[in-house]
Amino acid sequence: MIVVFDTNAYRNIVSRISKDEAVAKVVDIKHKEFEKGIIPFMSTTVAMELLSHLCDVKTSRNYQSCLKASQVMYLHCGDEKGFRLLPLPETQISYEYFNIINIHSFNTQQAVGQLLYLIAKNPTDETVDSKMSELQKIRNFIDTGEQTLANEIERFCRMIDPTFTDWTIFKNDAKNRSEFLKNVRSEKFYKITAEAYLTAVVQDLKNKGYAINSNIDETMIFKYVENYKASLQFRTWFFSQLVNGNFDLTKGSRTNFVWDELILHFIGQSCNNDPIMLVTSDGRMYDAVRGVYPNDLDTIIKTYEEYMDFLGL
C-alpha cells in the first residue's frame, strides 16, 4: 500500500516537539510502515503548501511548524538517493487522457522535491534564505491560486444572483436556494466540472507548446467523473456553502479548498497496482470520501490519529 499525508498530518507530527524529536518520530513511523508493507509518497501540492509558509515571518508559528514539517516530509518519503512522489493531477491527466508527458509539470515536481531535500539536510533559517527566490515563486503560485478562486467564485455568484451580498447567494429566495443546491448535488454538476477541468488541462498544455487534440468527448467526461468522485463530492460541499450565509472566501483559510480538492484526486486511485491511502485530519475532506466510499474508508483514508493507532504508535 502507498500512503500520502496531507499538510496537517505532517504538521501534527511536529506539533509541540523539537526538530530532533520530530526526526526521531518520523523514523519510528517509517519503521512501522515498513513492517506493514506501506510505502510513503509525497504530494507535490502538500509540499508546496508547507514550503509557501517559509516565506512567513521567521518567528511565526506557521514558519516554525512548516520548517520542521518540510524536513519531516522529505525524511518520510525520501533519502540521499532520491524521493518518491505521486504525480500532480495535471501531470496524471495529461498522460492518462491526452497521452502527453507534461515535462513542465514534472520539472515543477522535481524542483519542489529538491527544495525539500536541501531543507531536510540542513533545516535552518540560512537554508531558507538561500532559496528564498524559489520559495517566493511557490508562495506567489499559492497566493495567486487562492485569490483567483475567490475572485472567480464571487464573479459566479454575482452572475447567477444580482442581489448577492455577504458571500450568500439567494439570501431571501428559498426557491432558488433549493434549486441551486439540487443542481450542485447533481450528476450534471459533476459532468460540467469534469469538462471544465479537462478543458483547463488542454489550455494549459497548449500554452506550454504541446500539440494536442482539444476535443473532449462524453467518454472522457464519464471517465473523469468515475475516477475522481471524491474531489467532485468535495466541490459539491464547497459550492453548497454559498447558500448558508457569510462563507467569505477572503477570510480564514477557506480558499485552501482548491488544494484540498487536488489532494483528493488520489482517493480511489492506485500506483503500480498498489492502492493509495490518504492520511488527513481535515473533517470536510474525510466527509467527502465517506460520501463516495462509505464501505471502504478503512483502506483509503484515515485521520492522523487513526493512522498512528493503525501503526501502533
Side-chain angles (χ1 to χ4, degrees):
M1 176 179 287
I2 289 170
V3 68
V4 179
F5 281 27
D6 82 344
T7 310
N8 287 328
Y10 280 117
R11 294 186 69 166
N12 280 337
I13 291 177
V14 305
S15 178
R16 296 184 177 89
I17 59 177
S18 68
K19 289 179 183 178
D20 289 344
E21 290 171 323
V23 170
K25 190 171 181 179
V26 80
V27 168
D28 288 341
I29 290 171
K30 289 180 67 175
H31 178 70
K32 293 292 186 179
E33 288 172 337
F34 180 78
E35 289 180 344
K36 291 181 176 289
I38 298 172
I39 307 170
F41 274 64
M42 69 173 66
S43 158
T44 305
T45 301
V46 171
M48 292 175 75
E49 284 195 277
L50 291 175
L51 290 170
S52 71
H53 284 295
L54 300 188
C55 296
D56 291 350
V57 176
K58 289 184 172 59
T59 54
S60 69
R61 177 176 172 271
N62 276 338
Y63 176 89
Q64 296 294 331
S65 173
C66 289
L67 180 58
K68 289 188 290 184
S70 295
Q71 179 189 27
V72 161
M73 183 181 194
Y74 189 87
L75 295 176
H76 188 212
C77 304
D79 53 31
E80 287 287 341
K81 297 178 181 178
F83 50 87
R84 298 173 300 277
L85 59 78
L86 292 172
L88 287 163
E90 60 263 34
T91 310
Q92 177 64 25
I93 288 169
S94 295
Y95 183 74
E96 184 179 353
Y97 289 79
F98 305 105
N99 200 33
I100 290 176
I101 297 175
N102 190 339
I103 297 299
H104 294 78
S105 182
F106 178 80
N107 288 341
T108 295
Q109 296 178 176
Q110 293 299 308
V112 169
Q114 288 161 8
L115 270 175
L116 287 175
Y117 169 69
L118 292 174
I119 290 168
K121 284 186 64 178
N122 191 25
T124 64
D125 294 347
E126 289 73 23
T127 301
V128 171
D129 289 339
S130 72
K131 293 297 176 182
M132 187 52 68
S133 176
E134 292 93 326
L135 292 169
Q136 192 61 58
K137 288 178 183 178
I138 292 173
R139 177 62 169 263
N140 291 343
F141 175 82
I142 294 290
D143 288 348
T144 299
E146 293 181 357
Q147 185 60 55
T148 298
L149 173 67
N151 292 343
E152 289 301 309
I153 294 295
E154 183 176 14
R155 184 183 65 81
F156 166 76
C157 290
R158 295 192 184 283
M159 180 179 68
I160 66 171
D161 178 15
T163 68
F164 170 73
T165 57
D166 299 326
W167 283 93
T168 308
I169 57 173
F170 307 122
K171 196 170 187 178
N172 301 304
D173 189 339
K175 180 180 178 181
N176 274 326
R177 280 202 308 274
S178 177
E179 187 66 23
F180 177 78
L181 287 174
K182 179 181 177 181
N183 286 334
V184 300
R185 292 166 180 166
S186 69
E187 188 73 13
K188 181 180 178 181
F189 180 77
Y190 278 20
K191 289 180 178 179
I192 290 171
T193 300
E195 184 173 8
Y197 195 93
L198 291 169
T199 300
V201 170
V202 167
Q203 189 58 53
D204 181 60
L205 289 170
K206 284 183 175 180
N207 291 343
K208 290 173 179 173
Y210 293 98
I212 182 172
N213 182 350
S214 58
N215 292 328
I216 297 170
D217 58 33
E218 286 295 320
T219 300
M220 296 166 69
I221 293 170
F222 176 80
K223 181 180 178 181
Y224 184 99
V225 170
E226 286 299 302
N227 286 352
Y228 301 113
K229 284 184 177 179
S231 66
L232 290 167
Q233 178 85 354
F234 188 69
R235 177 171 283 250
T236 288
W237 166 80
F238 175 81
F239 272 82
S240 70
Q241 300 310 298
L242 296 171
V243 303
N244 290 339
N246 296 317
F247 194 65
D248 190 342
L249 293 182
T250 66
K251 295 180 180 178
S253 57
R254 286 172 178 153
T255 46
N256 280 354
F257 150 77
V258 66
W259 315 122
D260 295 339
E261 185 182 26
L262 291 180
I263 294 167
L264 284 172
H265 277 73
F266 294 133
I267 294 294
Q269 307 301 313
S270 61
C271 180
N272 296 326
N273 295 318
D274 292 323
I276 299 171
M277 174 185 285
L278 174 66
V279 176
T280 177
S281 294
D282 187 294
R284 298 301 182 184
M285 294 172 72
Y286 202 101
D287 288 345
V289 178
R290 182 188 291 114
V292 178
Y293 302 102
N295 300 319
D296 303 307
L297 292 177
D298 195 51
T299 59
I300 60 176
I301 190 168
K302 291 185 186 295
T303 66
Y304 175 76
E305 292 76 15
E306 288 171 341
Y307 189 67
M308 291 300 107
D309 287 342
F310 172 67
L311 293 181
L313 292 172

